[in-house]
Amino acid sequence: MSLLIKNGRVITSTADCEADVLVVGETIAKIAASINAADHPNAEVIDASGKYVFPGFIDPHVHIHLPFMGTNAIDDHASATKAALAGGTTTVIEMICPGPDDEPMAAFHEWKDLAAAGACCDYSFHLSVVRFDELAQQQLRELVASEGVASFKVFLAYKGALDIADEQLFELMKTARELGVIITAHCENAEAVDSMQKQLLAEGKTGPEWHEPSRPRSVEADGVSHLCTFAELTGAHVYIVHTSNAAAVSQAMQAKSRGVNVFVEAVAPHLVLDKTYAERPDFEGAKYVMSPPLRDGEEHEHLWRSLASGDMVTIGTDHAPFKFSGQKDMGRDAFTLIPNGIPGVQERVDLVHTHGVCAGRIDLQTMVDVCSTQAAKIFGLYPCKGEIAVGSDADVVIYDPHFTGVFSHADAESQVDYSGYEGMERKGRCELVIRRGDIVARDGRYVGGGGGGRYLPRIPTH
Ligand code: URP
Ligand code: ZN
Ligand code: ZN
């Protein structure tokens, strides 16, 4: 099967030019100013006039199978990856999140088997480390050596559930440095959050609007500083996930100026939504409870500027889908029991186009860089992924920048029962999404069959 994409505006992280793109099988075979269709009689010709031709987008931070806070996120790998593809994301990196008693090897295979049975887009994993005893250490080394695990995840949060003790964190970071594995990290101060949650509840402050005050910006900045100190001492390379505010970014940049290898991720909710959403009446705010929390709207400009300047290098989603009815409402009596997370794997690309590019905050090449290329480079997927180049996987998005509409739950492939972006203006839509040479989404809808996603083993490069 061949595709000939004609007359589009090809946009990568470094180029913006009118060109034709020939796809043969699963691979990009040729890029030229003009490719004659008559020379490729078996190719399906796609007219991309007036459209952007982007490399498939990569979401470096999603949760699909997620046992968390007494429940399990509602998507499975089929629904979440159909949502991803409908929104132009052709590769996801999912967080494997075992509990403190689980063994890393068993957790890895549990997640990998689930993904293999359902995923429609390509996928890889960050492996969360909640224990670092001798057995865990041995299994982690084995997973890196023979299963293509190249990034670990740590939580400086969720005390007693997913957090890791400092003593173990330090040893883990030394090992990561030795193996060339990058540490991705949720940075807060778990002790301070725990204490503030207890204090607020004791004062009768139980609604979702108290989630943000229980984990203020300083708590997050402290977590970033803490992780970066350990990175400085151990030499480990670190990637701070879902960074919500300027103070936290600033801590990372100070560490970077001291020579720490630190990368900073933004996620879509922090760029578009603010804490007033979590203050909505009638418990509606629970839909917007995530950690770190949605902040003051003034943080949006800081984050977009950090993306434009290169201080922040990626935009993920932190897709973490819990239903409002039956899951979020477990926390009606105490905000600490609301499962944390906001869905969004389908909306990310259009949100970034609308609020980033169309709003003049970032240009198209930065959009490609932060939504695709940087993730591929940092996590060892480049140049197979994150690029339009001869030999790269034919993951391509043909994007209509002139489409206008609103975000709506009615368009969602996710199994969650709400959209965090309901009714918000939307500029742009994926007209066609191509996953390794197959057309799998049209006009924002998934049109592929079941499965077809492939595991992407990686080689540690840090
Ligand atoms: O609130 C969030 N972010 N939920 C998912 C788990 C995590 O912390 O990433
Ligand atoms: Zn997190
Ligand atoms: Zn997350």
Side-chain angles (χ1 to χ4, degrees), residues 163 377 415 427:
D163 62 332
K377 288 182 172 170
Q415 294 179 41
K427 294 179 182 167

Side-chain angles (χ1 to χ4, degrees), residues 22 51 56 85 104 118 130 140 174 206 213 254 411:
L22 179 70
K51 309 291 181 332
L85 287 163
V130 260
L140 290 170
K174 285 198 319 207
T206 59
Q254 285 173 42
D411 298 326

Side-chain angles (χ1 to χ4, degrees), residues 61-63 95 153 155 186 241-242 291 318-320:
H61 186 164
V62 302
H63 302 273
M95 305 284 175
K153 169 79 187 287
F155 288 93
H186 173 140
V241 301
H242 54 34
S291 297
D318 198 10
H319 180 74

Side-chain angles (χ1 to χ4, degrees), residues 131-403:
R131 51 182 271 196
F132 197 59
D133 49 38
E134 214 163 290
L135 179 70
Q137 165 154 200
Q138 178 203 319
Q139 292 187 357
L140 290 170
R141 285 178 181 278
E142 210 175 314
L143 287 164
V144 171
S146 46
E147 293 286 356
V149 171
S151 47
F152 297 148
K153 169 79 187 287
V154 293
F155 288 93
L156 312 190
Y158 308 126
K159 180 173 152 75
L162 298 176
D163 62 332
I164 180 166
D166 266 356
E167 191 185 351
Q168 297 195 10
L169 176 62
F170 200 85
E171 291 308 311
L172 171 70
M173 290 177 76
K174 285 198 319 207
T175 303
R177 176 65 184 137
E178 179 202 322
L179 298 174
V181 167
I182 188 167
I183 300 271
T184 71
H186 173 140
C187 291
E188 293 183 286
N189 182 316
E191 296 295 337
V193 171
D194 183 60
S195 178
M196 292 176 79
Q197 286 179 331
K198 285 179 178 144
Q199 188 181 323
L200 287 162
L201 291 180
E203 290 166 5
K205 295 170 176 167
T206 59
E209 68 276 22
W210 296 105
H211 177 70
E212 199 277 342
S214 76
R215 41 209 326 151
R217 289 178 275 207
S218 54
V219 160
E220 192 183 340
D222 183 55
V224 172
S225 161
H226 186 69
L227 184 89
C228 287
T229 301
F230 277 26
E232 197 167 3
L233 294 169
T234 60
H237 295 196
V238 291
Y239 174 95
I240 320 271
V241 301
H242 54 34
T243 310
S244 74
N245 69 87
V249 176
S250 164
Q251 286 299 327
M253 290 307 105
Q254 285 173 42
K256 194 173 180 179
S257 70
R258 302 193 302 270
V260 174
N261 276 288
V262 54
F263 304 88
V264 186
E265 174 193 85
V267 292
H270 292 140
L271 292 165
V272 172
L273 305 170
D274 62 43
K275 69 179 187 183
T276 63
Y277 285 83
E279 293 165 358
R280 288 185 168 183
D282 301 326
F283 198 62
E284 174 93 8
K287 293 177 180 173
Y288 301 94
V289 166
M290 68 173 290
S291 297
L294 300 177
R295 304 294 187 189
D296 284 334
E298 69 190 27
E299 293 292 352
H300 294 166
E301 292 311 325
H302 293 301
L303 298 182
W304 282 113
R305 271 201 296 273
S306 297
L307 286 158
S309 73
D311 286 355
M312 300 182 97
V313 290
T314 55
I315 302 177
T317 58
D318 198 10
H319 180 74
F322 295 99
K323 284 184 153 184
F324 181 65
S325 177
Q327 294 191 297
K328 289 280 186 180
D329 57 12
M330 289 160 58
R332 273 200 189 269
D333 296 332
F335 68 88
T336 50
L337 302 178
I338 300 168
N340 285 202
I342 301 178
V345 71
Q346 187 167 341
E347 292 92 346
R348 175 184 64 139
V349 169
D350 298 329
L351 286 167
V352 173
H353 185 254
T354 305
H355 293 266
V357 176
C358 296
R361 288 152 154 166
I362 57 171
D363 60 22
L364 281 164
Q365 283 165 277
T366 304
M367 173 178 166
V368 171
D369 203 33
V370 299
C371 292
S372 182
T373 312
Q374 282 295 328
K377 288 182 172 170
I378 295 167
F379 295 117
L381 297 169
Y382 190 83
C384 268
K385 305 293 185 187
E387 188 60 280
I388 293 192
V390 172
S392 291
D393 283 359
D395 294 337
V396 180
V397 172
I398 298 174
Y399 196 79
D400 177 4
H402 305 296
F403 175 84

